[in-house]
Amino acid sequence: MTTMTENASGLREFKMPDVGEGLTEAEILKWYVQPGDKVTDGQVVCEVETAKAAVELPIPYDGVVSELRFPEGTTVDVGQVIIAVDVSAGAAPAPAAPAAEQAPAAPAEAPAEEAQPEGRKPVLVGYGVAESSTKRRPRKGAGTPAQQGETLYAATAIQGELNGHGHGTAPAQQRPLAKPPVRKLAKDLGVDLATVTPSGPDGIITREDVHAAAAPAQAPAPLAAPAPAAVPQAPVQVQPQAPAPAASFDGARETRIPVKGVRKAIATAMVGSAFTAPHVTEFVTLDVTRTMRLVEELKQDKDMQGLRVNPLLLVAKALLVAIKRNPDVNASWDEANQEIVRKHYVNLGIAAATPRGLIVPNIKDAHSKTLPQLAESLGELVATAREGKTSPAAMQGGTVTITNVGVFGVDTGTPILNPGESAILAVGAIKPQPWVHKGKVKPRQVTTLALSFDHRLVDGELGSKVLADTAAVLEQPKRLITWA
């Protein structure tokens, strides 16, 4: 499908492209240009969010922006025109259109912020070079934290370097950090986010901050009447002011959030999985004291220096060993052809909670990686997911998944299969508990594993063996050597 059209007057219309994953729509998160701005071939003009990832769209020609067809926050179907550019010779910058889609302060700096590095190549499917389809423009992280905080999805990343679109521009008019539902709430309540004091991590504005900012604007109305009242009544009315935000919240008892983007994709996938694949979940509680000791030893190992070493790494390796011993579990169900497809590779999915919602990127060919290589891949996967830079390709082709619910202090769960996969392993919290060890009750590090599998292609015996072997490796890590 072509992503551009041109008329006789030299006006080119750029359409919402299919980023290569068969998606039908995308939401415009942010415009980096305004009508009247000059653009060059390969310059990023906007950021859009598909059901799988946030993607920057470059314009494939030089010219002057004539019109932005949709404002930020609009969901646009693939193939619809989103921007018009005048590419006629000697085109002069047109005056900015009055139909501004953003707040007037922020767009004024967008062109300066988005000056493109020389030699940038387009990354859209259909006209870009092959290698560009898997690489994104490097983020500029040399600015201040305020400049780096321009990208919403990096607000809760644990890494010190946050995503940003700043390019040396003064940070005086940076867009406040807030998630889309919070922005909608502020709009509904008439609250200017620029005036709100953030209380969330890394300066992100929360719902509570918006309600607190809205409360003073609503409070004077009821307090105006009792002003001339007798003095003894004053202390009585001062006390209820503490729960004022709650009173304001009662004024808007419900907030409706459109189902789109990642949340829509999650809902569709989970419903499809739950009502297509017959789920069976088995549990095992085990002593992982030796595994925890090994984790500490590996942190001091010179071959693991600079790598992410934690219990999840050894859980992943244990599951890979269990799959090698029971290869039939690594399969998928082909309903159309009525076939069971056995996979001779393992793309290990890791469920990651991000500001955009749950995503499941996977480590390609995890079965062939050494422990240091697996640690490196796991660290890159988690960091990329938390920064909101996971590509759609990274979430395709998974075979088996791990979800670590233990990080939330949860003992275990009954995870739902990722569509197209045969099994998912939930890892619970590791806690000191009384345990019979060598005939005596001692405090040991204990956890619970839960394995859900598709009963159409995984029988109870096979599922039980995979879970038991995974637990056996974690109880006796030396089996990583003897069984591998």
Side-chain angles (χ1 to χ4, degrees):
M1 179 193 71
T2 181
T3 59
M4 66 195 80
T5 57
E6 182 176 2
N7 56 32
S9 64
L11 194 67
R12 284 198 174 184
E13 296 178 327
F14 183 74
K15 300 177 181 179
M16 177 68 74
D18 178 355
V19 296
E21 298 297 331
L23 302 174
T24 60
E25 62 183 19
E27 178 186 355
I28 298 176
L29 293 180
K30 184 176 180 62
W31 282 109
Y32 298 138
V33 296
Q34 289 296 295
D37 293 344
K38 288 185 177 180
V39 292
T40 57
D41 185 1
Q43 178 178 337
V44 173
V45 295
C46 68
E47 182 178 22
V48 301
E49 180 184 43
T50 69
K52 299 177 180 178
V55 180
E56 292 176 330
L57 299 183
I59 202 78
Y61 32 72
D62 301 333
V64 177
V65 178
S66 175
E67 181 183 7
L68 305 181
R69 296 291 176 87
F70 297 96
E72 294 177 355
T74 304
T75 299
V76 182
D77 292 336
V78 169
Q80 283 191 279
V81 176
I82 59 174
I83 182 173
V85 176
D86 187 355
V87 296
S88 58
E101 282 84 10
Q102 298 91 8
E109 296 189 0
E113 289 179 327
E114 285 307 307
Q116 298 299 309
E118 183 177 357
R120 175 181 173 85
K121 298 179 180 179
V123 297
L124 290 180
V125 173
Y127 64 86
V129 292
E131 58 269 27
S132 296
S133 63
T134 58
K135 294 183 179 180
R136 295 184 61 193
R137 177 171 60 90
R139 298 284 185 174
K140 308 173 186 68
T144 65
Q147 291 170 321
Q148 295 171 344
E150 188 71 18
T151 300
L152 293 180
Y153 305 129
T156 56
I158 62 173
Q159 287 75 15
E161 179 182 0
L162 302 180
N163 288 348
H165 302 290
H167 197 53
T169 308
Q173 295 181 336
Q174 292 296 333
R175 189 184 190 192
L177 293 177
K179 298 177 183 178
V182 178
R183 292 186 181 279
K184 184 178 185 302
L185 175 63
K187 181 178 179 180
D188 293 342
L189 297 180
V191 175
D192 183 0
L193 288 178
T195 65
V196 178
T197 301
S199 65
D202 298 311
I204 192 169
I205 297 174
T206 66
R207 290 177 176 275
E208 291 73 16
D209 297 334
V210 174
H211 285 302
Q218 299 173 359
L223 292 178
V231 174
Q233 295 179 357
V236 178
Q237 296 187 358
V238 170
Q239 295 300 326
Q241 290 184 3
S248 171
F249 183 79
D250 288 342
R253 296 177 65 85
E254 295 180 352
T255 299
R256 290 183 174 270
I257 303 173
V259 179
K260 56 185 177 180
V262 174
R263 176 53 54 191
K264 184 176 181 179
I266 292 172
T268 302
M270 292 299 97
V271 170
S273 176
F275 292 97
T276 301
H279 285 55
V280 173
T281 305
E282 295 185 341
F283 308 88
V284 62
T285 301
L286 61 148
D287 177 3
V288 293
T289 303
R290 292 184 179 90
T291 288
M292 298 304 292
R293 290 173 183 167
L294 179 58
V295 168
E296 296 304 316
E297 293 175 6
L298 289 174
K299 289 180 179 179
Q300 308 303 320
D301 192 294
K302 63 179 182 179
D303 293 329
M304 303 295 288
Q305 291 299 311
L307 298 176
R308 185 185 184 93
V309 179
N310 55 22
L312 180 61
L313 171 63
L314 294 185
V315 171
K317 195 64 177 177
L319 179 58
L320 291 171
V321 170
I323 293 173
K324 183 177 181 180
R325 288 168 56 85
N326 305 275
D328 290 351
V329 74
N330 191 41
S332 63
W333 184 272
D334 187 340
E335 182 67 28
N337 295 315
Q338 288 295 292
E339 295 175 340
I340 294 176
V341 183
R342 296 270 165 79
K343 310 292 179 64
H344 305 298
Y345 59 90
V346 180
N347 289 345
L348 183 63
I350 304 295
T354 74
R356 299 177 59 240
L358 176 69
I359 62 174
V360 189
N362 59 75
I363 300 173
K364 309 298 184 185
D365 295 321
H367 66 287
S368 64
K369 295 184 181 293
T370 64
L371 192 64
Q373 291 171 339
L374 188 63
E376 182 179 8
S377 298
L378 186 59
E380 292 175 353
L381 179 148
V382 173
T384 301
R386 287 178 173 172
E387 292 177 2
K389 298 190 293 185
T390 302
S391 67
M395 293 181 277
Q396 296 289 309
T399 60
V400 177
T401 291
I402 296 176
T403 176
N404 185 13
V405 297
V407 296
F408 306 108
V410 176
D411 291 333
T412 190
T414 55
I416 297 178
L417 293 168
N418 205 30
E421 299 182 9
S422 60
I424 179 171
L425 179 71
V427 184
I430 300 175
K431 302 176 181 179
Q433 295 184 24
W435 194 265
V436 178
H437 177 66
K438 296 181 179 179
K440 296 182 180 179
V441 177
K442 298 181 179 181
R444 304 286 287 182
Q445 295 292 323
V446 177
T447 190
T448 299
L449 304 179
L451 182 72
S452 292
F453 50 87
D454 186 343
H455 214 345
R456 293 175 300 179
L457 51 92
V458 179
D459 294 332
E461 179 186 9
L462 178 57
S464 299
K465 286 182 177 179
V466 172
L467 183 59
D469 284 353
T470 303
V473 172
L474 294 174
E475 286 182 323
Q476 295 285 350
K478 65 183 180 181
R479 292 191 171 103
L480 287 172
I481 301 175
T482 59
W483 285 2

